[in-house]
Amino acid sequence: MRLFAGLRERAGTEVRELELPKGAALADVWPVLGLGEEPQGLLYAVNREYAARDRPLADGDEVALIPPVSGGAFRLSEEPLDLEAAVAEVADERAGAVATFVGTTRSESRGRSVLYLEYEAYEGMAEKVMEELAAELEQKHEVTAVAIHHRTGRVEIGDRSVVIAVSAPHRRAALAACAEAIDRLKETVPLWKKEVYEGGEEWIGRGS
């Protein structure tokens, strides 16, 4: 068993050996660690590959507990987003251009007056998918760096819901990668949006 970041500090060790009954699955690991309530967004890996909680375990398996990702170029935040922070994260002396996208909460949607939005994400997985998306864009468009920040929780009218920054040697590559980043993010990243409007509310889901 391998532990990282806050989980390592809570346990007081990076590596721990566990004895589990025959037929045990990943879901049986956390209760025997004695570390209190399981953190929301905790991910598991077996032999250095992500695995579902119902994955059966065998003798000698290396299990890693991966706490929710925070900070960095791919982040979820309940606080207001800072465009300049995203731009700083993609700064590179090889870059001749930085393209940005800022998504904001509008007051009307599909003929209804919106009061505010609520975003929910599969924390841990969402950041990982953002990172994988960025790696694909960097290779496809030959950009130097990509940063994606997205809000979670309640977002008021006019506030930023997503910020993307892309740096590249040339402007066309930066602009193309930035445009593709927001389209792909809506399609692939496990984020859901609820519109709260006058008289009701509705979950919109991915692709909105």
Short mmCIF file of all heavy atoms in Angstrom, two decimals, residues 38-96:
data_model
loop_
_atom_site.label_atom_id
_atom_site.label_comp_id
_atom_site.label_asym_id
_atom_site.label_seq_id
_atom_site.Cartn_x
_atom_site.Cartn_y
_atom_site.Cartn_z
N GLU A 38 -13.29 8.46 4.55
CA GLU A 38 -12.63 8.42 3.24
C GLU A 38 -12.82 9.75 2.52
O GLU A 38 -13.94 10.25 2.40
CB GLU A 38 -13.21 7.29 2.39
CG GLU A 38 -12.55 7.15 1.03
CD GLU A 38 -13.05 5.95 0.26
OE1 GLU A 38 -13.71 5.08 0.87
OE2 GLU A 38 -12.79 5.88 -0.95
N PRO A 39 -11.74 10.35 2.01
CA PRO A 39 -11.85 11.65 1.33
C PRO A 39 -12.68 11.55 0.05
O PRO A 39 -12.56 10.57 -0.70
CB PRO A 39 -10.40 12.01 1.00
CG PRO A 39 -9.57 11.15 1.89
CD PRO A 39 -10.35 9.90 2.11
N GLN A 40 -13.48 12.57 -0.21
CA GLN A 40 -14.22 12.63 -1.45
C GLN A 40 -13.25 12.80 -2.61
O GLN A 40 -12.33 13.60 -2.56
CB GLN A 40 -15.22 13.79 -1.42
CG GLN A 40 -16.10 13.88 -2.65
CD GLN A 40 -17.09 15.01 -2.54
OE1 GLN A 40 -17.09 15.76 -1.58
NE2 GLN A 40 -17.96 15.13 -3.53
N GLY A 41 -13.48 12.06 -3.69
CA GLY A 41 -12.62 12.16 -4.86
C GLY A 41 -11.38 11.28 -4.80
O GLY A 41 -10.54 11.35 -5.70
N LEU A 42 -11.26 10.43 -3.77
CA LEU A 42 -10.10 9.54 -3.66
C LEU A 42 -10.11 8.54 -4.82
O LEU A 42 -11.14 7.95 -5.14
CB LEU A 42 -10.14 8.80 -2.33
CG LEU A 42 -8.99 7.84 -2.05
CD1 LEU A 42 -7.70 8.62 -1.84
CD2 LEU A 42 -9.30 6.99 -0.83
N LEU A 43 -8.95 8.36 -5.45
CA LEU A 43 -8.80 7.39 -6.52
C LEU A 43 -7.88 6.26 -6.07
O LEU A 43 -7.04 6.43 -5.19
CB LEU A 43 -8.24 8.05 -7.78
CG LEU A 43 -9.10 9.13 -8.44
CD1 LEU A 43 -8.40 9.67 -9.67
CD2 LEU A 43 -10.47 8.58 -8.80
N TYR A 44 -8.05 5.11 -6.72
CA TYR A 44 -7.23 3.94 -6.42
C TYR A 44 -6.48 3.50 -7.68
O TYR A 44 -6.99 3.64 -8.80
CB TYR A 44 -8.11 2.79 -5.95
CG TYR A 44 -8.76 2.98 -4.60
CD1 TYR A 44 -9.97 3.66 -4.48
CD2 TYR A 44 -8.17 2.49 -3.44
CE1 TYR A 44 -10.57 3.84 -3.25
CE2 TYR A 44 -8.77 2.66 -2.21
CZ TYR A 44 -9.97 3.33 -2.12
OH TYR A 44 -10.57 3.51 -0.90
N ALA A 45 -5.30 2.97 -7.45
CA ALA A 45 -4.54 2.36 -8.54
C ALA A 45 -4.00 1.03 -8.06
O ALA A 45 -3.65 0.87 -6.88
CB ALA A 45 -3.39 3.27 -8.98
N VAL A 46 -3.96 0.07 -8.96
CA VAL A 46 -3.39 -1.24 -8.66
C VAL A 46 -2.27 -1.50 -9.66
O VAL A 46 -2.48 -1.45 -10.88
CB VAL A 46 -4.46 -2.35 -8.77
CG1 VAL A 46 -3.83 -3.72 -8.51
CG2 VAL A 46 -5.59 -2.10 -7.79
N ASN A 47 -1.08 -1.75 -9.13
CA ASN A 47 0.09 -1.98 -9.96
C ASN A 47 0.28 -0.86 -10.99
O ASN A 47 0.52 -1.09 -12.16
CB ASN A 47 0.00 -3.35 -10.64
CG ASN A 47 -0.09 -4.47 -9.63
OD1 ASN A 47 0.49 -4.41 -8.55
ND2 ASN A 47 -0.87 -5.50 -9.96
N ARG A 48 0.09 0.38 -10.50
CA ARG A 48 0.34 1.61 -11.24
C ARG A 48 -0.65 1.86 -12.37
O ARG A 48 -0.33 2.58 -13.33
CB ARG A 48 1.78 1.63 -11.77
CG ARG A 48 2.80 1.50 -10.65
CD ARG A 48 4.21 1.69 -11.11
NE ARG A 48 5.14 1.55 -9.99
CZ ARG A 48 6.43 1.77 -10.06
NH1 ARG A 48 6.98 2.14 -11.21
NH2 ARG A 48 7.21 1.61 -9.00
N GLU A 49 -1.84 1.31 -12.26
CA GLU A 49 -2.91 1.60 -13.20
C GLU A 49 -4.19 1.91 -12.42
O GLU A 49 -4.50 1.21 -11.44
CB GLU A 49 -3.18 0.42 -14.15
CG GLU A 49 -2.03 0.12 -15.10
CD GLU A 49 -2.36 -0.99 -16.07
OE1 GLU A 49 -3.46 -1.58 -15.96
OE2 GLU A 49 -1.51 -1.28 -16.94
N TYR A 50 -4.93 2.95 -12.85
CA TYR A 50 -6.18 3.28 -12.17
C TYR A 50 -7.12 2.09 -12.22
O TYR A 50 -7.18 1.36 -13.22
CB TYR A 50 -6.85 4.50 -12.82
CG TYR A 50 -6.22 5.81 -12.43
CD1 TYR A 50 -5.42 6.50 -13.33
CD2 TYR A 50 -6.42 6.35 -11.18
CE1 TYR A 50 -4.84 7.71 -12.98
CE2 TYR A 50 -5.84 7.56 -10.82
CZ TYR A 50 -5.06 8.22 -11.72
OH TYR A 50 -4.48 9.41 -11.37
N ALA A 51 -7.85 1.90 -11.13
CA ALA A 51 -8.74 0.75 -11.04
C ALA A 51 -10.02 1.12 -10.30
O ALA A 51 -10.02 2.02 -9.45
CB ALA A 51 -8.04 -0.42 -10.32
N ALA A 52 -11.10 0.43 -10.64
CA ALA A 52 -12.39 0.65 -9.99
C ALA A 52 -12.38 0.02 -8.61
O ALA A 52 -11.61 -0.90 -8.31
CB ALA A 52 -13.51 0.06 -10.83
N ARG A 53 -13.28 0.49 -7.76
CA ARG A 53 -13.33 0.03 -6.37
C ARG A 53 -13.71 -1.44 -6.26
O ARG A 53 -13.41 -2.08 -5.25
CB ARG A 53 -14.32 0.88 -5.58
CG ARG A 53 -13.87 2.32 -5.41
CD ARG A 53 -15.00 3.18 -4.87
NE ARG A 53 -15.48 2.70 -3.59
CZ ARG A 53 -14.97 3.05 -2.40
NH1 ARG A 53 -13.96 3.91 -2.36
NH2 ARG A 53 -15.46 2.58 -1.28
N ASP A 54 -14.35 -2.01 -7.28
CA ASP A 54 -14.73 -3.43 -7.21
C ASP A 54 -13.63 -4.34 -7.78
O ASP A 54 -13.85 -5.55 -7.91
CB ASP A 54 -16.05 -3.67 -7.95
CG ASP A 54 -15.98 -3.29 -9.43
OD1 ASP A 54 -14.93 -2.75 -9.86
OD2 ASP A 54 -16.97 -3.50 -10.15
N ARG A 55 -12.47 -3.78 -8.08
CA ARG A 55 -11.37 -4.59 -8.61
C ARG A 55 -10.90 -5.59 -7.56
O ARG A 55 -10.52 -5.23 -6.45
CB ARG A 55 -10.23 -3.65 -9.01
CG ARG A 55 -8.84 -4.28 -9.14
CD ARG A 55 -8.67 -5.07 -10.43
NE ARG A 55 -7.33 -5.62 -10.50
CZ ARG A 55 -6.31 -5.03 -11.13
NH1 ARG A 55 -6.50 -3.87 -11.74
NH2 ARG A 55 -5.12 -5.58 -11.17
N PRO A 56 -10.90 -6.89 -7.89
CA PRO A 56 -10.40 -7.90 -6.95
C PRO A 56 -8.89 -7.73 -6.74
O PRO A 56 -8.16 -7.33 -7.65
CB PRO A 56 -10.71 -9.23 -7.64
CG PRO A 56 -11.74 -8.91 -8.68
CD PRO A 56 -11.45 -7.50 -9.12
N LEU A 57 -8.42 -8.05 -5.54
CA LEU A 57 -7.01 -7.94 -5.23
C LEU A 57 -6.38 -9.31 -5.08
O LEU A 57 -7.03 -10.27 -4.64
CB LEU A 57 -6.81 -7.15 -3.93
CG LEU A 57 -7.25 -5.68 -3.99
CD1 LEU A 57 -7.13 -5.05 -2.61
CD2 LEU A 57 -6.42 -4.92 -5.01
N ALA A 58 -5.11 -9.38 -5.46
CA ALA A 58 -4.36 -10.63 -5.35
C ALA A 58 -3.13 -10.40 -4.49
O ALA A 58 -2.68 -9.27 -4.30
CB ALA A 58 -3.96 -11.13 -6.74
N ASP A 59 -2.58 -11.49 -3.98
CA ASP A 59 -1.39 -11.40 -3.14
C ASP A 59 -0.26 -10.73 -3.90
O ASP A 59 0.04 -11.09 -5.05
CB ASP A 59 -0.98 -12.82 -2.71
CG ASP A 59 0.15 -12.79 -1.70
OD1 ASP A 59 0.19 -11.86 -0.87
OD2 ASP A 59 1.01 -13.69 -1.75
N GLY A 60 0.37 -9.75 -3.30
CA GLY A 60 1.49 -9.05 -3.92
C GLY A 60 1.12 -7.82 -4.72
O GLY A 60 2.01 -7.12 -5.21
N ASP A 61 -0.17 -7.52 -4.87
CA ASP A 61 -0.58 -6.31 -5.59
C ASP A 61 -0.08 -5.06 -4.86
O ASP A 61 -0.11 -5.00 -3.63
CB ASP A 61 -2.10 -6.24 -5.69
CG ASP A 61 -2.66 -7.08 -6.82
OD1 ASP A 61 -1.88 -7.47 -7.71
OD2 ASP A 61 -3.88 -7.34 -6.82
N GLU A 62 0.36 -4.08 -5.64
CA GLU A 62 0.71 -2.78 -5.07
C GLU A 62 -0.49 -1.85 -5.25
O GLU A 62 -0.88 -1.55 -6.38
CB GLU A 62 1.92 -2.17 -5.77
CG GLU A 62 2.30 -0.80 -5.20
CD GLU A 62 3.45 -0.16 -5.93
OE1 GLU A 62 4.60 -0.43 -5.59
OE2 GLU A 62 3.18 0.63 -6.86
N VAL A 63 -1.06 -1.41 -4.15
CA VAL A 63 -2.23 -0.54 -4.19
C VAL A 63 -1.79 0.87 -3.81
O VAL A 63 -1.07 1.05 -2.82
CB VAL A 63 -3.32 -1.03 -3.22
CG1 VAL A 63 -4.50 -0.04 -3.20
CG2 VAL A 63 -3.81 -2.42 -3.62
N ALA A 64 -2.20 1.84 -4.59
CA ALA A 64 -1.89 3.24 -4.30
C ALA A 64 -3.18 4.00 -4.09
O ALA A 64 -4.15 3.83 -4.84
CB ALA A 64 -1.10 3.86 -5.44
N LEU A 65 -3.20 4.83 -3.04
CA LEU A 65 -4.33 5.72 -2.78
C LEU A 65 -3.94 7.11 -3.24
O LEU A 65 -2.94 7.66 -2.79
CB LEU A 65 -4.68 5.74 -1.29
CG LEU A 65 -5.68 4.68 -0.81
CD1 LEU A 65 -5.13 3.29 -1.03
CD2 LEU A 65 -6.01 4.89 0.65
N ILE A 66 -4.73 7.66 -4.16
CA ILE A 66 -4.38 8.91 -4.81
C ILE A 66 -5.37 9.97 -4.37
O ILE A 66 -6.54 9.94 -4.77
CB ILE A 66 -4.40 8.75 -6.34
CG1 ILE A 66 -3.43 7.62 -6.73
CG2 ILE A 66 -4.03 10.05 -7.02
CD1 ILE A 66 -3.52 7.20 -8.16
N PRO A 67 -4.95 10.91 -3.52
CA PRO A 67 -5.87 11.94 -3.03
C PRO A 67 -6.27 12.88 -4.15
O PRO A 67 -5.61 12.94 -5.20
CB PRO A 67 -5.06 12.65 -1.95
CG PRO A 67 -3.64 12.42 -2.35
CD PRO A 67 -3.59 11.06 -3.00
N PRO A 68 -7.36 13.64 -3.94
CA PRO A 68 -7.80 14.60 -4.95
C PRO A 68 -6.69 15.56 -5.32
O PRO A 68 -5.94 16.03 -4.46
CB PRO A 68 -8.96 15.33 -4.28
CG PRO A 68 -9.45 14.37 -3.25
CD PRO A 68 -8.24 13.63 -2.77
N VAL A 69 -6.60 15.86 -6.61
CA VAL A 69 -5.60 16.79 -7.10
C VAL A 69 -6.04 18.21 -6.82
O VAL A 69 -7.21 18.56 -6.97
CB VAL A 69 -5.41 16.60 -8.62
CG1 VAL A 69 -4.40 17.60 -9.16
CG2 VAL A 69 -4.95 15.18 -8.92
N SER A 70 -5.13 19.05 -6.37
CA SER A 70 -5.45 20.46 -6.19
C SER A 70 -4.28 21.29 -6.67
O SER A 70 -3.14 20.87 -6.58
CB SER A 70 -5.73 20.77 -4.72
OG SER A 70 -4.59 20.49 -3.94
N GLY A 71 -4.59 22.47 -7.19
CA GLY A 71 -3.53 23.33 -7.70
C GLY A 71 -3.02 22.83 -9.04
O GLY A 71 -3.53 21.90 -9.63
N GLY A 72 -1.97 23.50 -9.54
CA GLY A 72 -1.40 23.09 -10.80
C GLY A 72 -2.15 23.65 -11.98
O GLY A 72 -3.09 24.44 -11.85
N ALA A 73 -1.73 23.24 -13.17
CA ALA A 73 -2.29 23.78 -14.40
C ALA A 73 -3.67 23.22 -14.71
O ALA A 73 -4.35 23.72 -15.60
CB ALA A 73 -1.33 23.51 -15.56
N PHE A 74 -4.10 22.18 -14.01
CA PHE A 74 -5.39 21.56 -14.25
C PHE A 74 -6.10 21.47 -12.91
O PHE A 74 -5.81 20.60 -12.10
CB PHE A 74 -5.22 20.19 -14.90
CG PHE A 74 -4.23 20.22 -16.04
CD1 PHE A 74 -2.93 19.78 -15.86
CD2 PHE A 74 -4.59 20.74 -17.26
CE1 PHE A 74 -2.01 19.85 -16.88
CE2 PHE A 74 -3.68 20.83 -18.29
CZ PHE A 74 -2.38 20.38 -18.11
N ARG A 75 -7.01 22.40 -12.68
CA ARG A 75 -7.55 22.50 -11.33
C ARG A 75 -9.05 22.77 -11.33
O ARG A 75 -9.61 23.35 -12.26
CB ARG A 75 -6.84 23.60 -10.54
CG ARG A 75 -7.18 25.00 -11.00
CD ARG A 75 -6.54 26.05 -10.10
NE ARG A 75 -5.09 26.08 -10.24
CZ ARG A 75 -4.32 27.02 -9.72
NH1 ARG A 75 -4.86 27.99 -9.02
NH2 ARG A 75 -3.02 27.00 -9.90
N LEU A 76 -9.68 22.34 -10.25
CA LEU A 76 -11.05 22.69 -9.93
C LEU A 76 -11.00 23.63 -8.74
O LEU A 76 -10.18 23.45 -7.84
CB LEU A 76 -11.87 21.45 -9.58
CG LEU A 76 -11.92 20.35 -10.64
CD1 LEU A 76 -12.63 19.13 -10.09
CD2 LEU A 76 -12.61 20.84 -11.90
N SER A 77 -11.89 24.62 -8.72
CA SER A 77 -11.84 25.60 -7.64
C SER A 77 -13.23 26.11 -7.31
O SER A 77 -14.03 26.37 -8.20
CB SER A 77 -10.95 26.79 -8.04
OG SER A 77 -10.99 27.81 -7.06
N GLU A 78 -13.49 26.25 -6.01
CA GLU A 78 -14.72 26.90 -5.57
C GLU A 78 -14.53 28.40 -5.43
O GLU A 78 -15.49 29.12 -5.13
CB GLU A 78 -15.18 26.30 -4.24
CG GLU A 78 -15.62 24.84 -4.35
CD GLU A 78 -16.21 24.32 -3.06
OE1 GLU A 78 -16.17 25.06 -2.05
OE2 GLU A 78 -16.72 23.19 -3.05
N GLU A 79 -13.33 28.88 -5.66
CA GLU A 79 -13.03 30.30 -5.56
C GLU A 79 -12.99 30.93 -6.96
O GLU A 79 -12.84 30.23 -7.95
CB GLU A 79 -11.68 30.50 -4.87
CG GLU A 79 -11.61 29.92 -3.47
CD GLU A 79 -12.64 30.52 -2.53
OE1 GLU A 79 -12.91 31.75 -2.65
OE2 GLU A 79 -13.17 29.79 -1.68
N PRO A 80 -13.12 32.26 -7.06
CA PRO A 80 -13.06 32.93 -8.36
C PRO A 80 -11.78 32.58 -9.12
O PRO A 80 -10.71 32.41 -8.52
CB PRO A 80 -13.11 34.42 -7.99
CG PRO A 80 -13.85 34.45 -6.69
CD PRO A 80 -13.43 33.20 -5.96
N LEU A 81 -11.89 32.48 -10.44
CA LEU A 81 -10.76 32.09 -11.27
C LEU A 81 -9.93 33.30 -11.68
O LEU A 81 -10.47 34.38 -11.96
CB LEU A 81 -11.26 31.37 -12.53
CG LEU A 81 -12.08 30.10 -12.29
CD1 LEU A 81 -12.50 29.49 -13.62
CD2 LEU A 81 -11.30 29.08 -11.45
N ASP A 82 -8.61 33.11 -11.73
CA ASP A 82 -7.67 34.18 -12.04
C ASP A 82 -7.04 33.89 -13.40
O ASP A 82 -6.26 32.95 -13.55
CB ASP A 82 -6.60 34.25 -10.95
CG ASP A 82 -5.62 35.40 -11.15
OD1 ASP A 82 -5.62 36.02 -12.23
OD2 ASP A 82 -4.84 35.66 -10.22
N LEU A 83 -7.40 34.69 -14.41
CA LEU A 83 -6.86 34.48 -15.75
C LEU A 83 -5.35 34.63 -15.77
O LEU A 83 -4.65 33.85 -16.42
CB LEU A 83 -7.50 35.47 -16.73
CG LEU A 83 -6.97 35.44 -18.16
CD1 LEU A 83 -7.19 34.07 -18.79
CD2 LEU A 83 -7.63 36.53 -19.00
N GLU A 84 -4.83 35.62 -15.05
CA GLU A 84 -3.39 35.84 -15.06
C GLU A 84 -2.63 34.66 -14.46
O GLU A 84 -1.50 34.37 -14.85
CB GLU A 84 -3.05 37.13 -14.30
CG GLU A 84 -3.49 38.39 -15.04
CD GLU A 84 -2.90 38.48 -16.43
OE1 GLU A 84 -1.70 38.17 -16.60
OE2 GLU A 84 -3.63 38.86 -17.36
N ALA A 85 -3.25 33.97 -13.52
CA ALA A 85 -2.60 32.79 -12.94
C ALA A 85 -2.46 31.69 -13.99
O ALA A 85 -1.42 31.02 -14.07
CB ALA A 85 -3.41 32.28 -11.75
N ALA A 86 -3.50 31.51 -14.80
CA ALA A 86 -3.43 30.51 -15.87
C ALA A 86 -2.39 30.89 -16.91
O ALA A 86 -1.62 30.05 -17.39
CB ALA A 86 -4.80 30.33 -16.51
N VAL A 87 -2.34 32.18 -17.26
CA VAL A 87 -1.35 32.66 -18.23
C VAL A 87 0.06 32.43 -17.70
O VAL A 87 0.97 32.01 -18.43
CB VAL A 87 -1.59 34.14 -18.56
CG1 VAL A 87 -0.44 34.71 -19.38
CG2 VAL A 87 -2.91 34.31 -19.30
N ALA A 88 0.27 32.69 -16.42
CA ALA A 88 1.60 32.50 -15.83
C ALA A 88 2.02 31.05 -15.87
O ALA A 88 3.21 30.74 -16.02
CB ALA A 88 1.60 33.01 -14.39
N GLU A 89 1.06 30.14 -15.75
CA GLU A 89 1.38 28.71 -15.73
C GLU A 89 1.84 28.20 -17.09
O GLU A 89 2.50 27.17 -17.17
CB GLU A 89 0.19 27.91 -15.23
CG GLU A 89 -0.04 28.07 -13.73
CD GLU A 89 -1.33 27.45 -13.26
OE1 GLU A 89 -2.14 27.04 -14.11
OE2 GLU A 89 -1.54 27.39 -12.04
N VAL A 90 1.47 28.87 -18.17
CA VAL A 90 1.89 28.42 -19.50
C VAL A 90 3.04 29.25 -20.06
O VAL A 90 3.44 29.06 -21.21
CB VAL A 90 0.69 28.44 -20.50
CG1 VAL A 90 -0.42 27.54 -20.00
CG2 VAL A 90 0.18 29.85 -20.74
N ALA A 91 3.57 30.18 -19.26
CA ALA A 91 4.68 31.02 -19.73
C ALA A 91 5.87 30.15 -20.10
O ALA A 91 6.24 29.21 -19.38
CB ALA A 91 5.08 32.02 -18.64
N ASP A 92 6.46 30.44 -21.25
CA ASP A 92 7.59 29.65 -21.74
C ASP A 92 8.39 30.52 -22.70
O ASP A 92 7.81 31.20 -23.56
CB ASP A 92 7.08 28.40 -22.46
CG ASP A 92 8.18 27.40 -22.75
OD1 ASP A 92 9.13 27.75 -23.48
OD2 ASP A 92 8.09 26.26 -22.25
N GLU A 93 9.70 30.52 -22.56
CA GLU A 93 10.53 31.38 -23.41
C GLU A 93 10.49 30.95 -24.88
O GLU A 93 10.87 31.71 -25.77
CB GLU A 93 11.97 31.39 -22.91
CG GLU A 93 12.66 30.04 -22.93
CD GLU A 93 14.05 30.11 -22.37
OE1 GLU A 93 14.40 31.12 -21.73
OE2 GLU A 93 14.81 29.15 -22.58
N ARG A 94 10.01 29.74 -25.15
CA ARG A 94 9.87 29.28 -26.54
C ARG A 94 8.60 29.81 -27.19
O ARG A 94 8.42 29.69 -28.40
CB ARG A 94 9.86 27.75 -26.59
CG ARG A 94 11.14 27.09 -26.09
CD ARG A 94 10.91 25.60 -25.95
NE ARG A 94 9.90 25.31 -24.92
CZ ARG A 94 9.34 24.12 -24.75
NH1 ARG A 94 9.67 23.11 -25.54
NH2 ARG A 94 8.44 23.94 -23.79
N ALA A 95 7.67 30.34 -26.39
CA ALA A 95 6.36 30.74 -26.89
C ALA A 95 6.39 32.16 -27.47
O ALA A 95 6.96 33.08 -26.87
CB ALA A 95 5.33 30.67 -25.78
N GLY A 96 5.74 32.31 -28.63
CA GLY A 96 5.58 33.63 -29.22
C GLY A 96 4.16 34.12 -29.11
O GLY A 96 3.84 35.23 -29.56
#
